[in-house]
Amino acid sequence: QVQLVESGGGLVQPGGSLRLSCVASGSIFSIGTMGWYRQTPGKQRELVADITSSRSTNYADSVKGRFTISRDNAKNTVHLQMNSLKPEDTAVYYCNIYASYGRYWGQGTQVTVSS
């Protein structure tokens, strides 16, 4: 079993920054694409960004130029640096990875952008 633990969420003012981290542990033999999703009440979970094993990245149009995804393979960790945050970025953020025998999700971390 693979477990993902997220950290870094919180309350921030518009224009501020947060850095989310997600660490994978357990029965890991290989890790493929890692990504971040977010979800707000009444909406489906949407992709924010992902990064392949070769470090190619993909971003939602709404976060391009503001968010940066990165990974540390030695530590089985994926990060999401969020700058110039807007109120519409408020959501629960979930990390996910493709690893070993399946796809795994973090528990979610709340990000609230408000003045």
Side-chain angles (χ1 to χ4, degrees):
Q1 183 67 39
V2 176
Q3 299 180 80
L4 276 57
V5 179
E6 302 179 27
S7 62
L11 174 64
V12 65
Q13 295 184 3
S17 298
L18 286 173
R19 183 175 174 84
L20 305 183
S21 298
C22 177
V23 181
S25 63
S27 301
I28 301 174
F29 297 96
S30 63
I31 299 179
T33 298
M34 302 181 179
W36 290 94
Y37 289 71
R38 66 187 181 189
Q39 187 169 25
T40 57
K43 296 183 178 180
Q44 294 186 3
R45 192 172 299 181
E46 65 176 356
L47 175 68
V48 177
D50 60 26
I51 181 167
T52 69
S53 59
S54 62
R55 290 186 168 83
S56 295
T57 57
N58 179 55
Y59 297 92
D61 288 341
S62 59
V63 307
K64 286 181 179 178
R66 300 188 297 120
F67 290 11
T68 303
I69 189 170
S70 61
R71 63 191 286 166
D72 185 336
N73 291 333
K75 297 180 179 180
N76 294 333
T77 300
V78 60
H79 303 281
L80 185 68
Q81 178 67 46
M82 304 185 292
N83 299 326
S84 301
L85 283 161
K86 304 175 180 179
E88 50 262 47
D89 294 318
T90 296
V92 177
Y93 284 70
Y94 299 87
C95 68
N96 82 95
I97 65 168
Y98 289 88
S100 297
Y101 303 106
R103 188 182 187 184
Y104 303 90
W105 294 88
Q107 80 280 5
T109 184
Q110 178 71 47
V111 171
T112 302
V113 184
S114 176
S115 59

